Structure formats: structure tokens, C-alpha cells
Amino acid sequence: MRPLVFFTFLWSIPLFGQVVDVNMYTQMNGVLELPDGALTNFWGYGLNGGPLTFPAPLLEFNYGDTVNIRVLNPSPESHTIHLHGLDVDQANDGVPQTSFFIPFGGIGSYSFVADEPGTFLYHCHVTTTLHLTMGMYGMLVVKYPGDLLFQNGPHYEEEYHFLASDLEVRINDEPMQSLPFHLIYPDHFMVNGLAGSQIEMDTTMQIVAEAGQNIALRLGSMAYSKVKFIFPSGSNAMVHMSDGRPLPTSYLVNELEVYPGERFTVVMSPNSNMQGDIEVQYFNMRNKEFLASNFIPVKISENASNTNGTISPNPATESITLHVTEAQEEFSWYTYDGKLIARYRLPKGEHIIDLRGFSSGYYLITSDLGSTYKLVIGSIK
Amino acid sequence: MRLGIYMVILASSLLTTNMLNALDVVLFINKDFVEVGAEWASASAFNLTDSIKMKNAILELEPNEQLNLSIYNTDSLDHTLTVNGILESNNIIPAFSNAQFTLQFSGSGTYRYYSDVSYGKLIGASGIILVGHTNAKCFFWNLFEMNVDLSNQLANQEVTDLPIDFQPEYFFINGNYFPNTIADTDTYVEVQLGDTVIISILNSGNMEHVLHFHGFHVEVLHSNHYQNRVGWIKDSLPLDVGSTITVQLIADQEGIYPVHDHNLIAVTNAGIYIGGMLTQIKVLP
């Protein structure tokens, strides 16, 4: 299982302020594997044509987009989507008592304009205490152009999403025996649905970057515990945003508490090589008792990018060939000053990209598989 | 007889501002049984009469005003009037007696007053003093949670502290849990489109909470726990034990929007969803 399944609506040239339609579904038959190999149940969301994921798929939109989310509910209970932090109107708020719910077999639609860049969440708001501990939540990001966090905000070269959460295995094993809800005591603690050794073994959970790069961390919590992120020494972690809004003054942190429902955007700017972890601690909110830790690996090196020659030639003039060795790979194309100008999602094979129309100069191409290419275009005819 | 004397004083001085920029207030600290769910639970509170209500009295004044408090203790045990940083000593209110206090506040914000004894603050004797917004439309959310058996033991001094496995069953805003929160005009935020209002929040409880706003972000005007967060625009507000926060809400869209604890065990009543720390913002056209 891949955490926080990347979902982009941009298949070629990125455009901001577009109408974006998303089709999703709910289900209550997910199976979650725990680090010891045991299995438990989860309920959640999936994108049409895709798997049910834990947590729900990462939804990414561009600043200014008009978003229409259509949700089919073939599961045996009612569900909703609450767009947490997006300040949508009452009709789209996803609270069954004041908005609407999607009954078994029904379809619901939610619409909003992504008018604030930042990090948000979405989750079911039906019998919320139960449906969230069962897993019906995900992260939603509104991206500002040019890989800036917000207008005139910091630029970043790398971006990671970490959604902390927890559950009590007893309840997920037997959700019909979950009452009384005030006695929920989480005993399984996750980041992006993974725990303990699962995080270490998943390469998408590893922060890999070069010294000198800005690494944006979009942090959120859907836990029943208080979460604390502890950043490694030398990471120069600076908090720039909370709850989808820029802070009046950014500030450096060694550790950051994130309560249930909160979000923070932190930019790490390590100046030199380092290897360590972001420790994610969980605390019982009844008595502040420490419960557990997870560790997100951080590896900063002088040349962390994969320049293995899968773009050729480089420098280039009229065209380049992208060599895709995986089933598919998405490439994001940036100008030297960080402006995103194109995206390509390509299947396995060789693909020729026509460079006519591109100005001469220096470009950065990043891959969703972790590679970074520095491309020079010269003598364009 | 005692009640009659109290009521005369109350009628002459309750929540009135005199020409010397002083606010004279008479309060009663009560400890008695209250009905919680289908149970009777011991609670303590600062009230405007000698009849217990879980909702503590709300006090509002300006920074240049002097607060003159006369407090009658109807309990058989001594209590205190404590305001951290302002009144922490010589603050006993003897059993079945009264005491007078004069308080001054240096700046705007939400302050907590409470009885610093286990049979006081741990069972609800803790209220809000809002300084600096008397000309604004204000709402007040005083958070508290309760385990009924534990409250009875604390009231009787069978125990004098919280157990490590504190297990609250009920979660209150101003002494009410949802849906009763909707009936309290300090808790239910009913405003007109375009209004700017102040919400004064105190966590009088014994565990951490985090309030999430639907439909709105609010601006933090004052926080005693997160002092670097003044000016932040938030939709989810952490509240550590004893912490206060004052926020400004601009009602810029019509409709009804919940505000609730996002520690979701706290939106229940005795473990049943939906209830607890949940209120609403209603914005009229």
C-alpha cells in the first residue's frame, strides 16, 4: 500500500483557476495491515477506478480552482465529506444535521472555490467519533503557483505530506461493539496510515533532499491524541502556515504540537549533509501521558537527486527523450526561478518532448518517483 | 435569612459600573448536586445566586476598571478566589462566610477566576473574566468535563486529586452539553451577516481540548498559553488545561455552522454521539 496516494488533475500544462471534477466513492470493507502482520478493518474513500486507501487519497488542487467532488456511497451506512478548514458554505459543509448526508446507494456533490492556498483535511461527519477512528479522513492541499507556499511566501523544492492519526484496534476489529465512544483509547499510532517499521520500509515516507534545498512539510492530525513533531538538529525547521493561513511572523521550531484537526506547514532548510529522523510523538489528551513514537527518516546529502541519465541529451536543443522505467512517472517542469510550467504523466517507455517554444536557459524537472533533473536548453532554433 | 441579605446586595450592586470606573459584583460560591444526564453529580460554581448552576458567572470590564468582588461561600469548606498572576494569596473565602477582593487587570484578554481547592476547580468552580471588549458583541465558552463518580468523591474529599486514568463522561460548554448548548445565548452564537464579534474561551476542565470552527477562521486576539499566536488566523484552537484565548469572528457568510471539540470523544454524552462540546454559529441574513 502506498501512503497518501498522489492524485493530480494536471496531465500536461498546469493551469490555475480551472474547473476540476473529482469522482470518489466510500466503502466500509477496507483491510489494514498492522506492523505485526495482523489485519483490522477500516472504512474510507477511494478515487473512482482506484483502491480504497488508508488514509483517504491526498487531494491536490490549484489555487483558484473551482472544485466539484462527486461521491458515490455504495456502503451500508450514510456518509458525508466535511471539507475541514475550507470555510465552505452550509450546503457544502458535510454535517448531516445542517447540510446533507449521502445514504446507502446515493450520490452527493460538494463544490467550492480553492481561494486560499494551504493544507486542509477532509473527513466524514456522520457519527464522527466512530467514522473517523475507522479511517474516513484524508489531506487536501491547495497549491499556490510557482511552488510558493502562498503569495510572496517561501519557495520550496521538495514537498512532503504527513497526516498523523491513530485508532484503537479493538474498535476497528469490532466497530459494532464500539460504544461508549468516550472510552476510545488509541493503541495504534500512524503517519500516513503506516506505523513503526512500516514507515522505515516505505521509501515514499523518507525525506530525501539536497543540502540547501527548501523542503515543505505539510503536517496535519486526525488523531484522538495530541501529536508532537520533533525535527532533527540542523534541519532549520521554520513554521510558515497554520490551518491554511500564513502566520504573521514565521518562526523556527525544534518541536511542534499538532492537536486533532490542526495543520501546519513547515519548511526545513538544512544547510549541510545530515541523516536523522522526525520523531512523531503521541500523547493521551486526558492526562498528557506519552503513548508512542513514530520516526520519519530524513536524509540530506550534497547530491540526493537521481541524475541517472534518464533524460537525454542534456544540454539539449530541439528535443529531449524521457526514459520511463516504471509503470508510469509524472514529471514537473520548472523554470530556474521556480515557476511550474508543465507536467507530464507518462507510461513506461521512451518519450520525446519537443523543446521548440521553450526559451534557452536552465530548467529543473522533478519526478514523482523522487528524481530531479537539471536540464539546460540552448541554441533553440 | 442569609439569602435575603444576599439578594439585597445583589440588587444594589450586581454588574453595575459606578462613576469611579469600578465594577462591583456579588458572587456566591456554591457546591451541591446538579443533574447530569440521568444522574446526580456534585459540582461547584461561582454563581449570581446561592442556588447552584454549573454555568459560572461571566464578568466583563475594561482594562482601566477596578473589579470589586464580594463573594459569599455557601459551602461548608473554605474556598479561594484565585486569578493567576493577579490574586494568588490572601484569597481565602471561609466556609459559610464572605470575603471582598479588589482586582485590577493590566491588559485586555480572557482571564480565569477559580477556587484553587480540589473540591472547587476540579469540579467546576472556574469562570471567565473578559477584559477589554465591553463595547463589542461577545460570546463566552467555558469548557469543562466531568466523571460523575469522581466529582462526587472530590466534593466529599474522598479523593483530592485526579487519578491518572481520568475518564470524563460528560463534556460541557458553560455547564451545558449539546444539544442544551443551543439554548444558552452566551454559547450559541447568533449574529447578523457582516457582524464582528468576540468569543472569549476558557478551558476550566482537567484535560486538553481543541475547538474546530466550521465555516470560519477566527483571529486570535489574546492567548495566555500561546502568547506568540496573537494575530494568527485559525480554524482549530488548542486549549490546554487552564488556558484562555480571545478570538474575533467576522460573520462573512450566512448559515448554521458547528463549532466542536475535535478530540472526538468529547462530542458525546456518556459515550453516545452526538453531544458534548458542540455549539453552533448561526449567521442571519
Side-chain angles (χ1 to χ4, degrees), chain A residues 62 65 103 171 196 228 242 247-248 289:
Chain A
N62 289 322
D65 283 350
I171 289 176
K228 182 187 289 184
S242 180
L247 303 184
E289 175 190 22

Side-chain angles (χ1 to χ4, degrees), chain A residues 1-2 5 25 42-46 50-58 135 137:
Chain A
M1 179 177 58
R2 185 176 172 190
V5 175
Y25 66 91
F42 78 89
W43 305 344
Y45 302 91
L52 194 71
T53 67
F54 189 104
L58 171 66
Y137 51 79

Side-chain angles (χ1 to χ4, degrees), chain A residues 237-252:
Chain A
M238 181 166 282
V239 185
H240 291 281
M241 302 183 76
S242 180
D243 292 357
R245 297 291 187 277
L247 303 184
T249 306
S250 302
Y251 64 101
L252 283 167

Side-chain angles (χ1 to χ4, degrees), chain A residues 87 128 243 259 262 287, chain B residues 164 208 217 234-235 256 273:
Chain A
D87 296 350
T128 321
D243 292 357
Y259 282 69
E262 280 198 296
N287 58 12
Chain B
I164 188 68
E208 296 171 286
H217 278 64
K234 295 276 287 176
D235 60 60
I256 299 174
Y273 183 91

Side-chain angles (χ1 to χ4, degrees), chain B residues 24-57:
Chain B
D24 301 326
V25 179
V26 175
L27 294 178
F28 300 80
I29 181 155
N30 301 312
K31 179 159 67 70
D32 207 340
F33 286 100
V34 294
E35 192 171 5
V36 176
E39 303 175 83
W40 288 95
S42 295
S44 182
F46 291 91
N47 300 129
L48 296 175
T49 73
D50 65 351
S51 176
I52 190 165
K53 291 185 173 64
M54 283 191 67
K55 181 179 179 180
N56 286 269

Side-chain angles (χ1 to χ4, degrees), chain A residues 47-237:
Chain A
L47 295 165
N48 280 7
L52 194 71
T53 67
F54 189 104
L58 171 66
L59 301 182
E60 284 195 305
F61 305 100
N62 289 322
Y63 175 64
D65 283 350
T66 296
V67 179
N68 301 307
I69 300 176
R70 185 171 176 269
V71 186
L72 170 67
N73 176 24
S75 81
E77 286 193 18
S78 299
H79 299 290
T80 69
I81 284 183
H82 166 56
L83 298 156
H84 181 110
L86 285 159
D87 296 350
V88 298
D89 62 14
Q90 180 181 338
N92 290 285
D93 196 31
V95 177
Q97 293 81 2
T98 52
S99 305
F100 67 94
F101 61 88
I102 311 168
F104 162 64
I107 295 173
S109 294
Y110 302 90
S111 298
F112 66 96
V113 176
D115 55 2
E116 295 281 353
T119 306
F120 304 92
L121 302 167
Y122 68 101
H123 62 79
C124 184
H125 223 295
V126 173
T127 318
T128 321
T129 309
L130 176 61
H131 286 215
L132 261 65
T133 201
M134 292 302 297
M136 299 194 74
Y137 51 79
M139 184 176 278
L140 188 157
V141 171
V142 177
K143 302 192 74 163
Y144 197 80
D147 284 343
L148 304 178
L149 289 183
F150 49 88
Q151 186 175 19
N152 300 320
H155 179 265
Y156 56 89
E157 286 79 35
E158 301 288 343
E159 180 182 13
Y160 292 86
H161 311 83
F162 296 117
L163 177 55
S165 64
D166 53 27
L167 59 82
E168 184 177 1
V169 175
R170 169 188 67 86
I171 289 176
N172 285 61
D173 284 346
E174 296 284 349
M176 296 304 112
Q177 305 298 320
S178 54
L179 288 172
F181 292 153
H182 71 287
L183 296 181
I184 292 175
Y185 280 85
D187 53 11
H188 180 63
F189 304 92
M190 300 164 284
V191 180
N192 296 354
L194 302 175
S197 59
Q198 293 174 323
I199 295 174
E200 298 165 24
M201 293 186 292
D202 191 311
T203 56
T204 67
M205 294 292 288
Q206 298 172 7
I207 297 174
V208 180
E210 293 181 25
Q213 286 187 318
N214 285 337
I215 308 158
L217 306 178
R218 298 187 183 274
L219 310 176
S221 172
M222 272 283 124
Y224 289 66
S225 313
K226 179 175 70 178
V227 173
K228 182 187 289 184
F229 289 84
I230 302 174
F231 302 97
S233 176
S235 61
N236 297 321

Side-chain angles (χ1 to χ4, degrees), chain B residues 59-128:
Chain B
L59 309 178
E60 295 180 76
L61 69 160
E62 285 299 311
N64 59 350
E65 281 187 301
Q66 177 177 291
L67 177 59
N68 299 321
L69 277 173
S70 180
I71 303 181
Y72 290 80
N73 180 0
T74 66
D75 190 16
S76 59
L77 299 168
D78 292 353
H79 283 265
T80 77
L81 175 69
T82 302
V83 181
N84 288 347
I86 293 176
L87 180 63
E88 296 180 331
S89 60
N90 299 318
N91 57 348
I92 302 295
I93 313 167
F96 295 133
S97 185
N98 74 316
Q100 285 74 43
F101 304 97
T102 297
L103 306 178
Q104 286 193 308
F105 298 86
S106 57
S108 297
T110 300
Y111 295 81
R112 178 194 193 194
Y113 71 97
Y114 62 101
S115 173
D116 194 12
V117 291
S118 59
Y119 49 87
K121 66 180 180 182
L122 297 185
I123 60 172
S126 170
I128 288 174

